[in-house]
């Protein structure tokens, strides 16, 4: 199993990208909080993983013309079409959908090949969050006071894309692995579902999908494009709340990318860290971690992208990483963020052949 893994930093100098809402604990109920998590006695602003995924999915639609799966709602449940043949976001982002009628209930589930962390602030809230006091005064009468939090920080996130799972769907009867149904196992009283699946399978055969007893495998060109687009979208990602008042570019300003056998991501913890209010890059930690998992690194390449204007003081540390790993037989490409993403996407495309 081959995974494309990475870590990104988003520079958020004046931002409120994912809000918690009104603080109901206050009697006046006029303060809008940012989302925060507690760690080691401190609180850190964060963007939820689902918000980041929403930006990611939307960017794939807008920039790469992905035909997104339609959304359906039944009572308190929301689900997509669960059709990864037709809709690439169902393929890459996964789904769960239950087909119900009477006592019959068939559920299909796809574990998302793309996994991601939240985007978490490197600075704690005590040194990054500000509360802005405002007044609504465009109406007649007394101004109405309100307050909202925003932050100035760098957000860190990581992801992992299972390249073997993209465009490959299991049909075995096991929780999380029943991505699609077999037409002949759908009960007669679910005639609409049967018709839907006949159309799905017809489409799969039309585009040359390999179909056997346990799985469906889409043509490699389809899998290659979907995986490559997913990574390339990082370069153009956009989104976030409060953009009218706190405009923020959420494209990465720093990224580390590599491919590993297995599902590890050695870039998640403590390569980038906060020290007395400053954000530091630990080159020794990165070198050590890459060497520790060198046997799983395939190909033996590491792509590091950095915006020229972001953390200028890291240049010497990056040279140290490049020189040290080169001596160990690992190629390190240090370039701009966009170039690193494009070169990494080429490696992904090469994986599919």
């Amino acid at each position: 199993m081959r995974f494309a893994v990475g870590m990104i930093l988003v520079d958020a100098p004046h931002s409120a990208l994912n809000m918690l809402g009104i603080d109901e604990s206050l009697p006046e109920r006029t303060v809008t909080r940012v989302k925060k998590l507690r760690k080691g006695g401190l609180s850190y602003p964060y963007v939820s993983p689902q918000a980041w995924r929403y930006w990611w999915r939307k960017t794939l639609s807008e920039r790469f013309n992905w035909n997104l799966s339609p959304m359906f709602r039944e009572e308190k449940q929301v689900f997509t079409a669960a059709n990864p043949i037709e809709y690439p976001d169902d393929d890459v982002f996964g789904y769960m959908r239950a087909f119900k009628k009477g006592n019959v209930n068939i559920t299909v589930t796809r574990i998302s090949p793309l996994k991601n962390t939240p985007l978490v602030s490197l600075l704690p809230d005590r040194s990054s969050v500000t509360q802005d006091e405002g007044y609504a005064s465009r109406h007649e009468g007394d101004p109405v006071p309100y307050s909202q939090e925003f932050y100035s920080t760098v957000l860190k996130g990581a992801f992992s894309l299972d390249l073997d799972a993209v465009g490959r769907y299991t049909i075995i009867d096991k929780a999380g692995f029943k991505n699609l149904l077999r037409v002949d196992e759908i009960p007669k009283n679910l005639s609409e579902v049967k018709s839907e699946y006949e159309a799905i399978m017809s489409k799969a055969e039309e585009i040359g999908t390999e179909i056997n007893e346990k799985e469906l495998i889409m043509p490699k060109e389809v899998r290659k494009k979907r995986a490559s687009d997913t990574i390339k979208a990082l370069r153009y990602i956009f989104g976030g709340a409060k953009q009218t008042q706190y405009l923020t570019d959420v494209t990465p300003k720093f990224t580390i990318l590599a491919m590993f056998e297995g599902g590890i991501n050695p870039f998640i913890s403590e390569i980038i860290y906060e020290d007395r209010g400053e954000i530091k890059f630990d080159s020794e930690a990165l070198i050590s971690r890459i060497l520790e998992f060198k046997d799983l690194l395939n190909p033996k390449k590491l792509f590091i992208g950095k915006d020229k204007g972001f953390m200028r003081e890291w240049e010497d540390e990056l040279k140290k990483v490049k020189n040290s790993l080169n001596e160990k037989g690992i190629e390190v490409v240090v370039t701009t963020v966009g170039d690193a993403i494009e070169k990494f996407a080429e490696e992904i495309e090469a994986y599919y052949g």
Side-chain angles (χ1 to χ4, degrees), residues 212-265:
N212 60 47
E213 290 184 356
K214 293 185 177 180
E215 62 182 2
L216 285 76
I217 305 173
M218 296 190 80
K220 68 178 181 181
E221 291 302 320
V222 176
R223 302 175 71 197
K224 178 191 298 186
K225 184 178 187 309
R226 290 181 177 183
S228 177
D229 284 356
T230 301
I231 298 302
K232 287 179 179 177
L234 279 171
R235 184 178 181 182
Y236 306 103
I237 201 162
F238 66 95
K242 299 285 183 182
Q243 290 283 28
T244 54
Q245 294 171 296
Y246 303 102
L247 179 60
T248 300
D249 175 15
V250 298
T251 59
K253 295 298 177 289
F254 181 81
T255 186
I256 307 175
L257 304 161
M259 292 167 67
F260 287 90
E261 303 287 351
I264 66 163
N265 186 326

Short mmCIF file of all heavy atoms in Angstrom, two decimals, residues 212-265:
data_model
loop_
_atom_site.label_atom_id
_atom_site.label_comp_id
_atom_site.label_asym_id
_atom_site.label_seq_id
_atom_site.Cartn_x
_atom_site.Cartn_y
_atom_site.Cartn_z
N ASN A 212 -14.42 -7.88 -10.51
CA ASN A 212 -14.31 -9.28 -10.13
C ASN A 212 -15.19 -9.55 -8.92
O ASN A 212 -16.00 -8.71 -8.52
CB ASN A 212 -12.84 -9.66 -9.88
CG ASN A 212 -12.21 -8.82 -8.77
OD1 ASN A 212 -12.82 -8.67 -7.69
ND2 ASN A 212 -11.03 -8.28 -9.01
N GLU A 213 -15.03 -10.70 -8.29
CA GLU A 213 -15.94 -11.10 -7.21
C GLU A 213 -15.83 -10.22 -5.98
O GLU A 213 -16.79 -10.10 -5.21
CB GLU A 213 -15.67 -12.56 -6.82
CG GLU A 213 -16.08 -13.56 -7.88
CD GLU A 213 -15.89 -14.99 -7.39
OE1 GLU A 213 -15.36 -15.16 -6.28
OE2 GLU A 213 -16.27 -15.91 -8.13
N LYS A 214 -14.67 -9.62 -5.75
CA LYS A 214 -14.46 -8.88 -4.51
C LYS A 214 -14.30 -7.38 -4.67
O LYS A 214 -14.40 -6.64 -3.70
CB LYS A 214 -13.23 -9.44 -3.78
CG LYS A 214 -13.41 -10.86 -3.28
CD LYS A 214 -12.21 -11.31 -2.46
CE LYS A 214 -12.45 -12.70 -1.90
NZ LYS A 214 -11.30 -13.16 -1.09
N GLU A 215 -14.01 -6.93 -5.87
CA GLU A 215 -13.76 -5.49 -6.01
C GLU A 215 -13.93 -5.01 -7.44
O GLU A 215 -13.97 -5.81 -8.39
CB GLU A 215 -12.36 -5.15 -5.52
CG GLU A 215 -11.26 -5.83 -6.30
CD GLU A 215 -9.87 -5.52 -5.75
OE1 GLU A 215 -9.76 -4.81 -4.74
OE2 GLU A 215 -8.90 -5.99 -6.36
N LEU A 216 -14.00 -3.69 -7.55
CA LEU A 216 -14.01 -3.02 -8.84
C LEU A 216 -12.79 -2.10 -8.89
O LEU A 216 -12.51 -1.40 -7.91
CB LEU A 216 -15.27 -2.16 -9.03
CG LEU A 216 -16.60 -2.85 -9.33
CD1 LEU A 216 -17.17 -3.48 -8.07
CD2 LEU A 216 -17.59 -1.86 -9.92
N ILE A 217 -12.08 -2.10 -10.01
CA ILE A 217 -10.90 -1.26 -10.15
C ILE A 217 -11.06 -0.42 -11.42
O ILE A 217 -11.13 -0.96 -12.52
CB ILE A 217 -9.60 -2.10 -10.24
CG1 ILE A 217 -9.51 -3.04 -9.04
CG2 ILE A 217 -8.38 -1.19 -10.31
CD1 ILE A 217 -8.34 -4.03 -9.12
N MET A 218 -11.09 0.90 -11.21
CA MET A 218 -11.29 1.79 -12.36
C MET A 218 -10.01 1.85 -13.20
O MET A 218 -8.91 1.53 -12.72
CB MET A 218 -11.68 3.18 -11.86
CG MET A 218 -13.01 3.22 -11.14
SD MET A 218 -13.60 4.89 -10.81
CE MET A 218 -14.29 5.33 -12.42
N PRO A 219 -10.11 2.29 -14.46
CA PRO A 219 -8.92 2.41 -15.32
C PRO A 219 -7.86 3.29 -14.66
O PRO A 219 -8.18 4.26 -13.97
CB PRO A 219 -9.46 3.03 -16.60
CG PRO A 219 -10.91 2.68 -16.62
CD PRO A 219 -11.34 2.65 -15.18
N LYS A 220 -6.60 2.97 -14.91
CA LYS A 220 -5.52 3.69 -14.21
C LYS A 220 -5.51 5.18 -14.54
O LYS A 220 -5.11 5.99 -13.70
CB LYS A 220 -4.16 3.06 -14.54
CG LYS A 220 -3.69 3.22 -15.97
CD LYS A 220 -2.31 2.59 -16.15
CE LYS A 220 -1.80 2.77 -17.56
NZ LYS A 220 -0.49 2.14 -17.76
N GLU A 221 -5.94 5.57 -15.73
CA GLU A 221 -5.96 6.99 -16.07
C GLU A 221 -6.95 7.76 -15.19
O GLU A 221 -6.71 8.91 -14.83
CB GLU A 221 -6.31 7.18 -17.55
CG GLU A 221 -5.22 6.72 -18.51
CD GLU A 221 -3.89 7.42 -18.26
OE1 GLU A 221 -3.91 8.64 -17.98
OE2 GLU A 221 -2.84 6.75 -18.33
N VAL A 222 -8.06 7.10 -14.87
CA VAL A 222 -9.04 7.74 -13.98
C VAL A 222 -8.48 7.86 -12.56
O VAL A 222 -8.56 8.91 -11.92
CB VAL A 222 -10.35 6.93 -13.95
CG1 VAL A 222 -11.34 7.54 -12.95
CG2 VAL A 222 -10.97 6.88 -15.34
N ARG A 223 -7.87 6.77 -12.09
CA ARG A 223 -7.31 6.79 -10.73
C ARG A 223 -6.18 7.81 -10.64
O ARG A 223 -6.06 8.55 -9.67
CB ARG A 223 -6.79 5.39 -10.39
CG ARG A 223 -7.86 4.31 -10.47
CD ARG A 223 -7.27 2.94 -10.24
NE ARG A 223 -6.88 2.75 -8.86
CZ ARG A 223 -6.05 1.80 -8.44
NH1 ARG A 223 -5.51 0.97 -9.33
NH2 ARG A 223 -5.76 1.68 -7.17
N LYS A 224 -5.34 7.85 -11.67
CA LYS A 224 -4.22 8.78 -11.70
C LYS A 224 -4.71 10.22 -11.61
O LYS A 224 -4.19 11.03 -10.83
CB LYS A 224 -3.43 8.57 -13.00
CG LYS A 224 -2.25 9.50 -13.18
CD LYS A 224 -1.69 9.43 -14.59
CE LYS A 224 -1.16 8.07 -14.96
NZ LYS A 224 -0.48 8.05 -16.28
N LYS A 225 -5.71 10.55 -12.41
CA LYS A 225 -6.21 11.93 -12.43
C LYS A 225 -6.83 12.32 -11.09
O LYS A 225 -6.60 13.41 -10.58
CB LYS A 225 -7.23 12.12 -13.55
CG LYS A 225 -7.70 13.57 -13.68
CD LYS A 225 -8.67 13.76 -14.82
CE LYS A 225 -8.99 15.25 -15.05
NZ LYS A 225 -9.38 15.96 -13.84
N ARG A 226 -7.61 11.42 -10.53
CA ARG A 226 -8.27 11.75 -9.26
C ARG A 226 -7.26 11.96 -8.14
O ARG A 226 -7.38 12.90 -7.34
CB ARG A 226 -9.28 10.64 -8.89
CG ARG A 226 -10.49 10.62 -9.81
CD ARG A 226 -11.50 9.54 -9.42
NE ARG A 226 -12.68 9.59 -10.27
CZ ARG A 226 -13.76 8.82 -10.13
NH1 ARG A 226 -13.78 7.91 -9.14
NH2 ARG A 226 -14.79 8.94 -10.94
N ALA A 227 -6.26 11.10 -8.06
CA ALA A 227 -5.25 11.25 -7.01
C ALA A 227 -4.41 12.50 -7.24
O ALA A 227 -4.12 13.27 -6.31
CB ALA A 227 -4.36 10.01 -6.97
N SER A 228 -4.02 12.71 -8.48
CA SER A 228 -3.18 13.87 -8.81
C SER A 228 -3.94 15.18 -8.57
O SER A 228 -3.40 16.12 -7.98
CB SER A 228 -2.75 13.77 -10.28
OG SER A 228 -2.02 14.89 -10.65
N ASP A 229 -5.18 15.24 -9.01
CA ASP A 229 -5.99 16.45 -8.78
C ASP A 229 -6.11 16.75 -7.29
O ASP A 229 -6.07 17.92 -6.87
CB ASP A 229 -7.40 16.26 -9.35
CG ASP A 229 -7.46 16.38 -10.86
OD1 ASP A 229 -6.42 16.69 -11.47
OD2 ASP A 229 -8.54 16.15 -11.42
N THR A 230 -6.30 15.70 -6.50
CA THR A 230 -6.48 15.90 -5.05
C THR A 230 -5.28 16.60 -4.44
O THR A 230 -5.43 17.52 -3.63
CB THR A 230 -6.70 14.54 -4.37
OG1 THR A 230 -7.86 13.91 -4.93
CG2 THR A 230 -6.92 14.72 -2.86
N ILE A 231 -4.09 16.20 -4.85
CA ILE A 231 -2.88 16.84 -4.33
C ILE A 231 -2.70 18.24 -4.92
O ILE A 231 -2.39 19.20 -4.21
CB ILE A 231 -1.65 15.96 -4.62
CG1 ILE A 231 -1.79 14.61 -3.89
CG2 ILE A 231 -0.37 16.67 -4.18
CD1 ILE A 231 -1.96 14.70 -2.39
N LYS A 232 -2.92 18.36 -6.22
CA LYS A 232 -2.73 19.67 -6.87
C LYS A 232 -3.68 20.73 -6.30
O LYS A 232 -3.35 21.92 -6.29
CB LYS A 232 -2.96 19.53 -8.38
CG LYS A 232 -1.85 18.81 -9.12
CD LYS A 232 -2.19 18.70 -10.59
CE LYS A 232 -1.09 18.00 -11.37
NZ LYS A 232 -1.44 17.84 -12.81
N ALA A 233 -4.85 20.29 -5.83
CA ALA A 233 -5.82 21.26 -5.30
C ALA A 233 -5.28 22.01 -4.10
O ALA A 233 -5.71 23.15 -3.82
CB ALA A 233 -7.12 20.53 -4.93
N LEU A 234 -4.33 21.41 -3.38
CA LEU A 234 -3.75 22.11 -2.22
C LEU A 234 -3.16 23.45 -2.63
O LEU A 234 -3.19 24.41 -1.86
CB LEU A 234 -2.64 21.25 -1.60
CG LEU A 234 -3.08 20.14 -0.66
CD1 LEU A 234 -1.88 19.27 -0.33
CD2 LEU A 234 -3.68 20.72 0.61
N ARG A 235 -2.63 23.51 -3.82
CA ARG A 235 -1.98 24.74 -4.29
C ARG A 235 -2.97 25.89 -4.44
O ARG A 235 -2.60 27.06 -4.37
CB ARG A 235 -1.31 24.44 -5.64
CG ARG A 235 -0.52 25.58 -6.21
CD ARG A 235 0.13 25.19 -7.52
NE ARG A 235 0.92 26.30 -8.05
CZ ARG A 235 1.58 26.26 -9.19
NH1 ARG A 235 1.57 25.15 -9.92
NH2 ARG A 235 2.26 27.31 -9.62
N TYR A 236 -4.24 25.53 -4.68
CA TYR A 236 -5.23 26.56 -4.98
C TYR A 236 -6.34 26.62 -3.94
O TYR A 236 -7.36 27.28 -4.14
CB TYR A 236 -5.87 26.27 -6.34
CG TYR A 236 -4.88 26.11 -7.46
CD1 TYR A 236 -4.55 24.84 -7.95
CD2 TYR A 236 -4.25 27.22 -8.02
CE1 TYR A 236 -3.63 24.69 -8.98
CE2 TYR A 236 -3.33 27.07 -9.05
CZ TYR A 236 -3.03 25.80 -9.53
OH TYR A 236 -2.12 25.65 -10.54
N ILE A 237 -6.16 25.94 -2.82
CA ILE A 237 -7.29 25.76 -1.89
C ILE A 237 -7.76 27.12 -1.36
O ILE A 237 -6.95 28.03 -1.12
CB ILE A 237 -6.87 24.80 -0.76
CG1 ILE A 237 -8.09 24.19 -0.10
CG2 ILE A 237 -5.98 25.50 0.26
CD1 ILE A 237 -7.79 22.93 0.70
N PHE A 238 -9.07 27.24 -1.25
CA PHE A 238 -9.64 28.48 -0.74
C PHE A 238 -10.85 28.15 0.11
O PHE A 238 -11.45 27.08 0.00
CB PHE A 238 -10.04 29.42 -1.89
CG PHE A 238 -11.17 28.88 -2.73
CD1 PHE A 238 -12.49 29.24 -2.48
CD2 PHE A 238 -10.90 28.01 -3.78
CE1 PHE A 238 -13.53 28.73 -3.26
CE2 PHE A 238 -11.93 27.50 -4.56
CZ PHE A 238 -13.24 27.85 -4.30
N GLY A 239 -11.20 29.08 0.99
CA GLY A 239 -12.37 28.88 1.83
C GLY A 239 -12.20 29.58 3.16
O GLY A 239 -11.28 30.37 3.35
N GLY A 240 -13.10 29.28 4.08
CA GLY A 240 -12.99 29.85 5.41
C GLY A 240 -14.10 30.84 5.72
O GLY A 240 -14.63 31.52 4.84
N ALA A 241 -14.43 30.94 7.00
CA ALA A 241 -15.46 31.87 7.47
C ALA A 241 -14.88 33.27 7.61
O ALA A 241 -13.67 33.47 7.59
CB ALA A 241 -16.00 31.38 8.81
N LYS A 242 -15.76 34.25 7.75
CA LYS A 242 -15.39 35.64 8.05
C LYS A 242 -14.41 36.23 7.05
O LYS A 242 -13.64 37.13 7.39
CB LYS A 242 -14.79 35.72 9.47
CG LYS A 242 -15.73 35.29 10.58
CD LYS A 242 -16.79 36.33 10.85
CE LYS A 242 -17.67 35.93 12.02
NZ LYS A 242 -18.74 36.91 12.26
N GLN A 243 -14.42 35.74 5.83
CA GLN A 243 -13.47 36.25 4.85
C GLN A 243 -13.78 37.69 4.45
O GLN A 243 -12.90 38.41 4.00
CB GLN A 243 -13.44 35.34 3.60
CG GLN A 243 -12.81 33.98 3.84
CD GLN A 243 -11.28 34.03 3.88
OE1 GLN A 243 -10.69 35.03 4.24
NE2 GLN A 243 -10.63 32.93 3.51
N THR A 244 -15.03 38.13 4.61
CA THR A 244 -15.34 39.52 4.25
C THR A 244 -14.66 40.50 5.19
O THR A 244 -14.34 41.62 4.79
CB THR A 244 -16.86 39.76 4.29
OG1 THR A 244 -17.37 39.36 5.56
CG2 THR A 244 -17.57 38.99 3.20
N GLN A 245 -14.44 40.10 6.43
CA GLN A 245 -13.83 41.02 7.40
C GLN A 245 -12.37 40.69 7.71
O GLN A 245 -11.63 41.57 8.15
CB GLN A 245 -14.63 40.97 8.71
CG GLN A 245 -16.04 41.51 8.59
CD GLN A 245 -16.84 41.24 9.84
OE1 GLN A 245 -17.09 40.09 10.18
NE2 GLN A 245 -17.24 42.30 10.50
N TYR A 246 -11.97 39.42 7.52
CA TYR A 246 -10.61 39.02 7.89
C TYR A 246 -9.97 38.25 6.74
O TYR A 246 -9.50 37.12 6.91
CB TYR A 246 -10.64 38.14 9.15
CG TYR A 246 -11.29 38.78 10.33
CD1 TYR A 246 -12.59 38.44 10.72
CD2 TYR A 246 -10.62 39.74 11.08
CE1 TYR A 246 -13.19 39.02 11.81
CE2 TYR A 246 -11.22 40.34 12.18
CZ TYR A 246 -12.50 39.98 12.54
OH TYR A 246 -13.11 40.56 13.63
N LEU A 247 -9.98 38.84 5.59
CA LEU A 247 -9.51 38.14 4.39
C LEU A 247 -8.17 37.43 4.62
O LEU A 247 -7.19 38.05 5.03
CB LEU A 247 -9.36 39.14 3.24
CG LEU A 247 -8.86 38.57 1.92
CD1 LEU A 247 -9.79 37.49 1.38
CD2 LEU A 247 -8.66 39.69 0.90
N THR A 248 -8.16 36.13 4.34
CA THR A 248 -6.96 35.31 4.56
C THR A 248 -6.74 34.38 3.37
O THR A 248 -7.68 33.75 2.89
CB THR A 248 -7.12 34.45 5.83
OG1 THR A 248 -7.31 35.30 6.95
CG2 THR A 248 -5.89 33.59 6.06
N ASP A 249 -5.51 34.32 2.92
CA ASP A 249 -5.13 33.35 1.89
C ASP A 249 -4.82 32.03 2.59
O ASP A 249 -3.87 31.96 3.37
CB ASP A 249 -3.92 33.88 1.13
CG ASP A 249 -3.39 32.88 0.11
OD1 ASP A 249 -4.13 31.93 -0.21
OD2 ASP A 249 -2.24 33.05 -0.35
N VAL A 250 -5.60 31.00 2.33
CA VAL A 250 -5.41 29.73 3.04
C VAL A 250 -4.60 28.72 2.23
O VAL A 250 -4.51 27.55 2.61
CB VAL A 250 -6.77 29.10 3.47
CG1 VAL A 250 -7.48 30.01 4.43
CG2 VAL A 250 -7.64 28.76 2.27
N THR A 251 -3.99 29.16 1.13
CA THR A 251 -3.07 28.25 0.44
C THR A 251 -1.84 28.03 1.32
O THR A 251 -1.44 28.92 2.06
CB THR A 251 -2.62 28.83 -0.92
OG1 THR A 251 -1.98 30.09 -0.71
CG2 THR A 251 -3.79 29.00 -1.86
N PRO A 252 -1.22 26.86 1.25
CA PRO A 252 -0.07 26.58 2.13
C PRO A 252 1.10 27.52 1.83
O PRO A 252 1.37 27.85 0.68
CB PRO A 252 0.30 25.14 1.79
CG PRO A 252 -0.91 24.56 1.14
CD PRO A 252 -1.59 25.69 0.44
N LYS A 253 1.78 27.93 2.89
CA LYS A 253 3.01 28.72 2.74
C LYS A 253 4.25 27.86 2.99
O LYS A 253 5.38 28.29 2.77
CB LYS A 253 2.98 29.91 3.71
CG LYS A 253 1.89 30.91 3.40
CD LYS A 253 2.07 31.53 2.02
CE LYS A 253 0.95 32.49 1.67
NZ LYS A 253 -0.33 31.81 1.40
N PHE A 254 4.01 26.64 3.47
CA PHE A 254 5.11 25.69 3.69
C PHE A 254 4.51 24.29 3.62
O PHE A 254 3.40 24.05 4.11
CB PHE A 254 5.73 25.92 5.06
CG PHE A 254 6.89 25.01 5.37
CD1 PHE A 254 8.16 25.28 4.88
CD2 PHE A 254 6.71 23.87 6.16
CE1 PHE A 254 9.23 24.43 5.16
CE2 PHE A 254 7.78 23.02 6.45
CZ PHE A 254 9.04 23.32 5.94
N THR A 255 5.23 23.39 2.99
CA THR A 255 4.72 22.02 2.91
C THR A 255 5.87 21.02 2.80
O THR A 255 6.92 21.33 2.25
CB THR A 255 3.75 21.87 1.71
OG1 THR A 255 3.16 20.58 1.74
CG2 THR A 255 4.46 22.07 0.39
N ILE A 256 5.67 19.87 3.39
CA ILE A 256 6.59 18.73 3.25
C ILE A 256 5.77 17.58 2.69
O ILE A 256 4.70 17.25 3.23
CB ILE A 256 7.21 18.33 4.59
CG1 ILE A 256 7.86 19.53 5.28
CG2 ILE A 256 8.24 17.22 4.39
CD1 ILE A 256 8.40 19.21 6.67
N LEU A 257 6.27 16.95 1.62
CA LEU A 257 5.51 15.91 0.92
C LEU A 257 6.41 14.71 0.64
O LEU A 257 7.59 14.88 0.30
CB LEU A 257 4.98 16.46 -0.41
CG LEU A 257 4.12 17.73 -0.33
CD1 LEU A 257 4.05 18.40 -1.69
CD2 LEU A 257 2.73 17.39 0.19
N ALA A 258 5.84 13.53 0.75
CA ALA A 258 6.59 12.31 0.45
C ALA A 258 5.61 11.15 0.28
O ALA A 258 4.43 11.27 0.60
CB ALA A 258 7.59 11.99 1.56
N MET A 259 6.13 10.04 -0.24
CA MET A 259 5.31 8.84 -0.39
C MET A 259 5.89 7.72 0.47
O MET A 259 7.11 7.48 0.44
CB MET A 259 5.25 8.41 -1.86
CG MET A 259 4.48 9.39 -2.73
SD MET A 259 4.69 9.11 -4.52
CE MET A 259 3.87 7.55 -4.70
N PHE A 260 5.03 7.04 1.22
CA PHE A 260 5.47 5.98 2.11
C PHE A 260 4.66 4.71 1.87
O PHE A 260 3.48 4.77 1.53
CB PHE A 260 5.30 6.39 3.58
CG PHE A 260 6.29 7.41 4.06
CD1 PHE A 260 6.02 8.76 3.95
CD2 PHE A 260 7.50 7.01 4.60
CE1 PHE A 260 6.93 9.70 4.38
CE2 PHE A 260 8.43 7.95 5.04
CZ PHE A 260 8.14 9.30 4.93
N GLU A 261 5.32 3.58 2.08
CA GLU A 261 4.60 2.31 2.11
C GLU A 261 3.92 2.22 3.48
O GLU A 261 4.57 2.42 4.51
CB GLU A 261 5.57 1.14 1.95
CG GLU A 261 6.41 1.17 0.68
CD GLU A 261 5.60 0.85 -0.57
OE1 GLU A 261 4.44 0.43 -0.44
OE2 GLU A 261 6.15 1.01 -1.67
N GLY A 262 2.64 1.94 3.51
CA GLY A 262 1.94 1.93 4.80
C GLY A 262 1.37 3.29 5.11
O GLY A 262 1.63 4.27 4.42
N GLY A 263 0.59 3.34 6.19
CA GLY A 263 -0.19 4.54 6.47
C GLY A 263 0.44 5.55 7.39
O GLY A 263 -0.26 6.40 7.93
N ILE A 264 1.76 5.51 7.59
CA ILE A 264 2.36 6.44 8.54
C ILE A 264 2.43 7.85 7.95
O ILE A 264 2.47 8.04 6.75
CB ILE A 264 3.79 6.00 8.95
CG1 ILE A 264 4.74 6.08 7.73
CG2 ILE A 264 3.77 4.60 9.52
CD1 ILE A 264 6.18 6.06 8.13
N ASN A 265 2.44 8.82 8.86
CA ASN A 265 2.73 10.20 8.47
C ASN A 265 3.71 10.76 9.49
O ASN A 265 3.31 11.20 10.58
CB ASN A 265 1.48 11.06 8.42
CG ASN A 265 1.78 12.46 7.87
OD1 ASN A 265 2.85 13.01 8.10
ND2 ASN A 265 0.83 13.02 7.14
#
